[in-house]
Amino acid sequence: MQISMSVPYDEKQLRRTLRFVLRPQLRTIRVLGGVLFVLGLALVALKPSMSLAYAALVLGLLFVVAIPPITVAQSMRVQSDVIRDGLHMTLDDEWLTLTYPLAESRFRWSGLGRVIETPEVWYVMFGKTQAITIPKDPMTEEQRATFSAFVNGLRPADATPAVRRGSTI
């Protein structure tokens, strides 16, 4: 397999990728916020004059509604300016290579954890929080089929599948 493509910077896709990577942590925060909110409601019902009940309600709402978008926005702000110029991506049998104008990263396929496929991209995971987004748009249909077959062939038949079909984030 030898696939080479230019990938322009896409802020919306970067935001979706960050939400994808942060999803497990944000889910926990939202659940805790929901529990805190319900606890606050119960305390208000039992004792409306208790200020702690209102604090629990407000904190619960913050955890459910405000913290996830703030976390993603903060993650967007701390991204390096290097990525804003787009990149050149090369996929071959041994390496995934990302070449930016000022930096280069290489990942061996042998370090692959899993691949999640969505309608627009593949999220290639090298660990729990290291996700490389491989967009489908710059690829031809033949390249998509070649890459999909390559990724499916990375795991032995008796192992768990490397590719999981996902929904759009």
Side-chain angles (χ1 to χ4, degrees), residues 21-149:
V21 170
L22 294 169
R23 187 175 49 192
Q25 293 87 357
L26 295 179
R27 185 179 307 128
T28 303
I29 289 171
R30 282 190 166 129
V31 167
L32 289 174
V35 169
L36 202 55
F37 183 76
V38 169
L39 179 64
L41 282 177
L43 288 174
V44 166
L46 291 173
K47 193 169 183 183
S49 63
M50 185 182 232
S51 61
L52 180 63
Y54 296 101
L57 280 172
V58 170
L59 282 175
L61 276 177
L62 280 173
F63 278 33
V64 170
V65 177
I67 298 298
I70 290 170
T71 303
V72 171
Q74 179 61 28
S75 297
M76 287 289 291
R77 279 193 293 276
V78 299
Q79 296 299 312
S80 173
D81 287 338
V82 168
I83 66 170
R84 298 196 195 287
D85 293 328
L87 67 120
H88 186 82
M89 184 178 291
T90 306
L91 313 167
D92 62 33
D93 292 333
E94 190 174 351
W95 294 96
L96 162 60
T97 306
L98 309 172
T99 306
Y100 296 92
L102 298 175
E104 182 174 276
S105 296
R106 294 180 66 186
F107 300 88
R108 280 193 192 271
W109 291 113
S110 60
L112 178 69
R114 62 188 170 122
V115 177
I116 288 95
E117 183 179 1
T118 69
E120 295 110 14
V121 300
W122 284 279
Y123 292 110
V124 179
M125 304 294 293
F126 291 95
K128 292 184 181 189
T129 59
Q130 179 69 49
I132 306 297
T133 304
I134 300 178
K136 293 180 178 181
D137 282 346
M139 295 177 150
T140 65
E141 285 299 322
E142 181 183 331
Q143 289 174 326
R144 290 178 192 181
T146 300
F147 181 70
S148 187

Side-chain angles (χ1 to χ4, degrees), residues 2-20:
Q2 182 68 32
I3 299 172
S4 185
M5 61 186 158
S6 290
V7 180
Y9 174 71
D10 184 349
E11 187 171 326
K12 290 179 184 177
Q13 182 58 53
L14 177 59
R15 196 174 293 278
R16 284 191 297 269
T17 301
L18 289 170
R19 276 196 301 263
F20 171 79

